[in-house]
Amino acid sequence: MSSSPMFSWSWWLALADPARISIFAATLLVIMYGSRRALILDRETDSHLSETIQHLKWYHVALFPFMSSLMLLLLFYFFDYLQFVFMLVVSGASVFSVYNFIWPILGHSFIKMYMYRVKLVSTALSVVIVILWLVTGHWVFLDVLGLSLCVLMIQFLRLPNLKLSVVFLLGLLVYDVFWVFYSSSFFNANVMLEVATRKAENPVAVVAAKLNFPHIAKGRPPLSIPGKILVPSFLDDNAYAILGLGDIVLPGLLLSFAMRFDALSLHNAYFQLTLCGYAIGLLFANVMAHLFDAAQPALLYLVPSTLIPLVGKAVQKGDFIKMWSGPFPSSENNSYEQKQPLSV
C-alpha cells in the first residue's frame, strides 16, 4: 500500500500529479488522432500508403502473445547483447513514425505546390528529434518517439471485426496479467517491469569512446527504450508516471475499429462511447496503481472498459451481428463505401 494514509489529502494530491494527467491527456489525443488518420487513409485509395495497411488475421491473434512473450524474455536475459541492435531498429522506425506524425500536420498549412518542401522539412525534423534523443536521452524526445509510434500503429493496423477483436484483446489481457503479476513466481523477477525500466547504454557514448573522443562520450546518459511514455513526477523528484505503448495501441485499435464503423453507419455512437470507456479504464488503472503502490497490468482495466460498452451499445442498436461478423469489405478492397460522406 502507499505510505500515505489511504484517501488522505496527500493521497489524492499524489493521484492528481500533473505527470499522470499529462499522460492521460496525451494518450486520449493520440488515440483520436491515430484513429482519424486510419479513417482518412482508408478513403485515400490513390495513396501509396494504403498499400501498407495490415489487416490482422487469426494467425496474428494466435502468435502475438507468444511472440511478445519471447521478445520480453530475450530482452530480459540478453539485453546487454541485443540493446544496440534493438536501438538501431527502433531509431530507424522512430524516424519514419515521427515523419508520419509531423508531415500531415504541416501539410495542412501549405498549398500543394509546396508539399515536396513540407516533406523535406518533416524528414529533417524527424531525424533531428531522433538524434536529440540519442544525444540527450531526454524524456520529452522519448515521449515524442513513443507517441509517434502509437499513431503509426493505430493508423496502419486494422481489426476486421468484433469477433477477432474480442479474442485478440482478451488474449493480450491474459498476457499482460501474467507478466506483471505472476512472472516473478517463475523467473524470480517481475519481467515486464524489469524490461520496461531497464536502460540501454548510449550508442553515441559507445561509438565516441571507440573512436577515442572522450569529450563526446563523457556525460552521455543511458537511454530508455521507446516502449513507454514517461513523465517526471511534479511532486517527487525520483518518481515517474509511466504507461506502456501497448496500453495505448492495443485498445486504440479497437477505438479505430469503432470510428470506422461509425463512418460506415453514418453515426457517432460507438467511438465516443468507447473512448469514454478507455478514459474510465485508464483512470481506474491509475487509481489501482496508486492504491497498491505497485505496477498494474493496465489492459486488465482497459480491455473490459472498452469492450463492454462497445458490445452493449451494439446489442442495443441492433448492430452486434454485423459488427461481430465483419462490417468492412475484405483487405483486398480498402476503399469501402467511397461514396458515403465522411461523417466522423
Side-chain angles (χ1 to χ4, degrees):
M1 293 288 183
S2 177
S3 57
S4 300
M6 193 182 303
F7 307 129
S8 67
W9 171 251
S10 60
W11 191 91
W12 286 107
L13 183 63
L15 182 61
D17 190 326
R20 295 177 187 266
I21 296 173
S22 299
I23 289 182
F24 188 90
T27 298
L28 296 181
L29 289 173
V30 159
I31 289 176
M32 289 189 286
Y33 180 60
S35 299
R36 180 72 175 181
R37 290 282 300 278
L39 184 59
I40 292 172
L41 183 60
D42 277 348
R43 295 186 178 273
E44 292 180 350
T45 55
D46 58 340
S47 172
H48 69 282
L49 289 177
S50 62
E51 300 175 0
T52 63
I53 294 174
Q54 178 64 60
H55 295 258
L56 297 182
K57 309 292 186 182
W58 283 105
Y59 68 86
H60 294 128
V61 172
L63 288 176
F64 199 90
F66 295 104
M67 296 305 294
S68 299
S69 298
L70 178 61
M71 179 60 69
L72 267 181
L73 288 174
L74 286 174
L75 289 174
F76 181 69
Y77 284 113
F78 305 107
F79 185 83
D80 291 341
Y81 303 99
L82 298 175
Q83 57 178 317
F84 292 114
V85 175
F86 193 76
M87 295 293 281
L88 180 64
V89 173
V90 167
S91 297
S94 296
V95 170
F96 178 72
S97 67
V98 175
Y99 166 83
N100 177 71
F101 184 88
I102 291 175
W103 87 258
I105 299 174
L106 295 179
H108 282 299
S109 304
F110 297 89
I111 58 177
K112 289 187 176 180
M113 64 180 294
Y114 296 114
M115 200 56 64
Y116 179 71
R117 296 179 184 178
V118 170
K119 291 186 177 182
L120 285 179
V121 171
S122 300
T123 302
L125 284 174
S126 304
V127 173
V128 167
I129 289 172
V130 173
I131 290 174
L132 286 172
W133 167 63
L134 290 171
V135 171
T136 68
H138 199 280
W139 64 268
V140 169
F141 301 118
L142 174 72
D143 288 355
V144 170
L145 302 188
L147 293 173
S148 299
L149 286 168
C150 289
V151 170
L152 183 73
M153 289 184 278
I154 293 173
Q155 181 180 353
F156 288 101
L157 296 179
R158 297 287 187 276
L159 291 171
N161 54 58
L162 185 59
K163 176 168 56 178
L164 185 142
S165 302
V166 169
V167 176
F168 180 63
L169 289 173
L170 289 179
L172 289 169
L173 184 156
V174 173
Y175 155 87
D176 204 21
V177 168
F178 172 79
W179 288 109
V180 174
F181 282 159
Y182 300 107
S183 61
S184 56
S185 300
F186 296 88
F187 303 97
N188 296 318
N190 186 323
V191 175
M192 183 77 80
L193 190 60
E194 287 282 333
V195 172
T197 56
R198 190 172 292 179
K199 293 189 175 184
E201 292 182 66
N202 193 307
V204 175
V206 173
V207 172
K210 293 286 186 182
L211 297 176
N212 198 25
F213 293 116
H215 59 287
I216 297 178
K218 185 178 179 180
R220 299 299 171 198
L223 297 177
S224 294
I225 294 175
K228 57 187 174 295
I229 306 302
L230 62 84
V231 178
S233 171
F234 285 65
L235 306 175
D236 184 348
D237 292 339
N238 298 316
Y240 285 84
I242 299 177
L243 184 67
L245 298 191
D247 302 324
I248 303 173
V249 172
L250 300 174
L253 295 177
L254 183 67
L255 272 88
S256 175
F257 172 85
M259 180 179 282
R260 293 164 57 229
F261 189 88
D262 280 345
L264 193 66
S265 305
L266 299 179
H267 56 63
N268 297 317
Y270 294 107
F271 177 76
Q272 294 176 2
L273 178 66
T274 312
L275 184 65
C276 289
Y278 179 89
I280 292 170
L282 188 57
L283 177 62
F284 198 67
N286 273 280
V287 170
M288 297 303 289
H290 188 55
L291 182 63
F292 291 100
D293 195 22
Q296 295 289 308
L299 291 182
L300 178 62
Y301 311 101
L302 294 172
V303 170
S305 70
T306 51
L307 277 178
I308 291 173
L310 179 63
V311 171
K313 188 69 173 180
V315 171
Q316 179 192 7
K317 293 182 69 67
D319 289 330
F320 178 76
I321 294 177
K322 181 180 180 182
M323 190 180 286
W324 182 260
S325 59
F328 309 113
S330 68
S331 60
E332 302 297 326
N333 178 18
N334 294 327
S335 57
Y336 63 88
E337 301 291 331
Q338 295 177 41
K339 296 183 180 180
Q340 293 187 0
L342 187 61
S343 62
V344 176

